[in-house]
């Protein structure tokens, strides 16, 4: 994500939005620039590696000159549907996710801040980290383990046998992760992440469907 900006003259920078997702930050940065709004990037460097994405919270901040703040806010209302903008930094405190309960206004020891995930990021990570990366990003760890086991296991089998049919199966497993991970992100954002058993069941069903599709393709060739 580039960091080329038109430096404002004698203006104070004010944080407009914060992100923990590089792709979403890039999209909004380009959107603001397209609307002739002066904007710069603060916080984490965009060189932060994708492999640390699951363990390190990215802190990417878009800042604008104070005298362009209202103009930037108005532009954001056209960027995202009403109600999609996070509350921070202008709309009150960040909500909290309670494990197994509805979100509350005040955090307690068993609560953690809600950090929105993005469907496009889940789809991209499934291909960039082809071992269940899409579902791990969506905080569906049990499903991620199932996808990782199937993909890595068949990849090792492919390396041993060199069978191109197994290669096709691995591709379909990765594609299955990429296609279904955005739905997992939607469940996470709605605070409806299912339990481990339900995640495993869905993942196994998806992989079975991919395996059947692979068989069909073999018979058709």
């Amino acid at each position: 994500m580039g960091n080329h900006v038109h430096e404002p003259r004698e203006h104070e920078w004010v944080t407009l939005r914060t992100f923990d997702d590089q792709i979403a930050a890039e999209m909004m940065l380009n959107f603001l620039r397209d609307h002739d709004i002066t904007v710069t990037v603060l916080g984490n460097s965009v060189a932060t590696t994708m492999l640390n994405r699951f363990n390190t919270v990215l802190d990417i901040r878009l800042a604008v000159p104070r005298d362009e703040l209202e103009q930037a806010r108005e532009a954001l209302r056209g960027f995202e549907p009403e109600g999609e903008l996070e509350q921070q930094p202008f709309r009150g405190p960040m909500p909290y996710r309670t494990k197994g309960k509805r979100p509350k206004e005040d955090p307690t020891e068993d609560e953690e801040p809600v950090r929105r995930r993005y469907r496009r990021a889940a789809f991209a990570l499934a291909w960039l980290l082809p071992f269940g990366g899409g579902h791990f990003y969506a905080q569906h760890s049990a499903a991620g383990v199932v996808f990782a086991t199937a993909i890595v296991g068949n990849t090792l089998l492919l390396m041993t046998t060199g069978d191109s049919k197994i290669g096709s199966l691995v591709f379909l497993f990765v594609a299955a992760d990429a296609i279904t991970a955005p739905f997992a992100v939607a469940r996470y954002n709605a605070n409806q992440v299912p339990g481990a058993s339900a995640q495993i069941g869905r993942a196994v069903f998806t992989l079975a469907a991919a395996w059947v599709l692979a068989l069909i393709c073999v018979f058709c060739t």
Side-chain angles (χ1 to χ4, degrees):
M1 180 165 55
N3 196 18
H4 303 291
V5 299
H6 303 290
E7 292 292 342
R9 298 188 303 273
E10 300 180 358
H11 288 307
E12 176 186 356
W13 290 109
V14 179
T15 299
L16 176 66
R17 283 289 302 275
T18 60
F19 296 86
D20 64 350
D21 187 282
Q22 179 179 340
I23 296 175
E26 177 99 25
M27 292 173 60
M28 183 168 290
L29 176 68
N30 293 333
F31 178 85
L32 292 171
R33 287 176 176 169
D34 289 342
H35 286 74
D36 298 323
I37 296 174
T38 306
V39 59
T40 190
V41 182
L42 306 174
N44 286 142
S45 168
V46 297
T48 303
T49 61
M50 294 295 287
L51 290 178
N52 288 333
R53 179 63 184 83
F54 304 126
N55 300 320
T56 303
V57 174
L58 301 183
D59 175 26
I60 304 173
R61 285 167 279 150
L62 299 186
V64 298
R66 183 174 295 279
D67 58 0
E68 295 187 36
L69 180 58
E70 289 304 320
Q71 180 184 357
R73 289 179 178 175
E74 183 66 27
L76 292 190
R77 282 192 278 271
F79 180 78
E80 292 182 325
E82 185 68 23
E84 286 295 314
L85 290 177
E86 294 180 9
Q87 291 186 2
Q88 286 190 328
F90 306 115
R91 299 189 177 184
M94 177 178 286
Y96 283 78
R97 183 187 304 277
T98 308
K99 298 178 182 178
K101 302 176 183 179
R102 296 181 62 184
K104 296 181 178 180
E105 294 182 357
D106 298 318
T108 61
E109 293 184 357
D110 65 339
E111 296 173 342
E112 56 185 11
V114 175
R115 291 191 178 276
R116 285 182 55 80
R117 304 279 166 158
Y118 300 88
R119 296 185 181 189
R120 291 187 181 91
F123 182 85
L125 283 172
W127 296 105
L128 292 173
L129 303 176
F131 42 80
H135 279 79
F136 281 121
Y137 171 79
Q139 299 297 298
H140 285 55
S141 299
V145 169
V146 175
F147 278 101
T149 301
I151 294 170
V152 173
N154 281 277
T155 299
L156 294 175
L157 186 60
L158 172 63
M159 296 171 61
T160 302
T161 63
D163 190 342
S164 61
K165 296 177 182 178
I166 298 178
S168 299
L169 183 61
V170 171
F171 173 82
L172 288 174
F173 283 172
V174 176
D177 178 32
I179 293 171
T180 57
F183 296 100
V185 166
R187 289 192 294 272
Y188 172 81
N189 289 338
N191 196 17
Q192 295 177 352
V193 177
S197 298
Q199 291 183 39
I200 292 172
R202 287 177 175 173
V204 170
F205 177 83
T206 302
L207 290 171
W211 183 76
V212 171
L213 179 60
L215 284 181
I216 295 174
C217 292
V218 168
F219 285 121
C220 291
T221 56

